[in-house]
Amino acid sequence: MTNPTAVPEPGPRDATKTYAAAGADTDVAAIAPDPSLAEDLLADTPAVDVFDADTHREAKEIIARYPMSRSALLPMLHLVQSVQGYVSQEGIAFCARHLDLTDTEVSAVATFYTMYKRRPCGEHLVSVCTNTLCAALGGDDIYQKLQTHLGSEEKPLGHEETAGTPGEAGSVTLEHAECLAACDLGPVIQVNYEYFDNQTPEQAVALVDALQAGKKPAPTRGAALTDFKGAERQLAGFWPEDEAAYRSAVDGPSQAVETLRGAQLAADRGWTAPGAQDVPLPEVEKK
């Protein structure tokens, strides 16, 4: 083999030997440089179950909603986040066992959707839209202002990084988000997926200061603000049994004047869309 260097050097440094991949009948432990390490790798070590009996019961409730158990994976991942504040490897294994899937199948879904976090989140998740229209209206300025406000000029807070200790009161995880589907009200911020519209850098700073102080400012529209784990529990499909608490969790204005402006103009001017017509499907050539 080539001699190692303290600092990686550019240029080709070819090894003097190559090794074929181990076959199915190869004794991996016998050929490993350190057999004890190989034995650890080969050991069948089941993932630790960190979820209590209530979480297992609720997982079964979620699965019972669907004709095929694997269809329950998305709300199951939200259930995991409502307990841990992120999707851990133990959470992956928990979902896999309940749904008769492999850890790989669950991981493929958990890493595809940005709503599933692979690092512990703060008490609150603050999402700043930095897609084209919001960015042009000031979304980039808001995000950069929050990066330095929650971090520092020398070390701005990064994407999906947390100010404070994740999970503890007043901790805030910051992320830049793609389109939050509120272009008519940009630039927008979401806190635990509730909207704060027409934001400025100064308003955004006041918002995160309030969150860190233990307050829950009222969103521009939508339901009353909860914490990240509480929002995840709702996304898993679990709501307060008390009617007043339930109503406060789901009720709230979801529309805005800007959103309905086109419909209002059409009503004022008597515009109507043409009626749908039955059009025969084209003939498909038989093969």
Side-chain angles (χ1 to χ4, degrees), residues 52-63 79 94 98 233 238:
D52 61 18
D54 286 341
T55 308
H56 281 275
R57 174 181 52 78
E58 290 176 341
K60 292 175 182 177
E61 288 183 26
I62 292 174
I63 295 168
L79 177 65
F94 171 83
H98 273 281
R233 184 164 178 80
F238 294 100

Side-chain angles (χ1 to χ4, degrees), residues 78 81-82 85 115 117 120-128 162 167-175 177 180 188-196 207-208 210-212 214-236 239 249:
H78 285 300
Q81 288 199 141
S82 76
M115 288 182 76
K117 307 305 180 187
C121 265
E123 182 187 20
H124 299 290
L125 173 66
V126 174
S127 311
V128 181
T162 301
E168 292 190 0
S171 54
V172 173
T173 298
L174 179 67
E175 70 173 358
L180 295 179
V188 296
I189 293 175
Q190 284 184 342
V191 178
N192 309 323
Y193 306 118
E194 299 294 347
Y195 283 99
F196 291 81
L207 175 59
V208 298
L211 296 174
Q212 290 182 308
K215 301 175 183 178
K216 293 182 179 178
T220 308
R221 52 200 164 92
L225 195 63
T226 182
D227 58 17
F228 177 71
K229 288 183 178 180
E232 287 299 304
R233 184 164 178 80
Q234 293 174 4
L235 289 170
W239 301 88

Side-chain angles (χ1 to χ4, degrees), residues 197-210:
D197 304 316
N198 296 313
Q199 293 292 291
T200 65
E202 294 73 26
Q203 289 174 317
V205 166
L207 175 59
V208 298
D209 283 349

Side-chain angles (χ1 to χ4, degrees), residues 21-28:
D25 58 347
T26 301
D27 187 346
V28 176

Side-chain angles (χ1 to χ4, degrees), residues 129-142 177-188 198-199:
C129 183
T130 55
N131 212 325
T132 307
L133 187 53
C134 275
L137 292 171
D140 283 346
D141 293 337
I142 290 172
E178 290 305 318
C179 185
L180 295 179
C183 301
D184 47 341
L185 298 164
V188 296
N198 296 313
Q199 293 292 291

Side-chain angles (χ1 to χ4, degrees), residues 257-274:
V257 173
E258 295 91 336
T259 307
L260 301 178
R261 183 59 181 152
Q264 188 61 55
L265 278 174
D268 293 344
R269 300 179 183 184
W271 295 343
T272 58

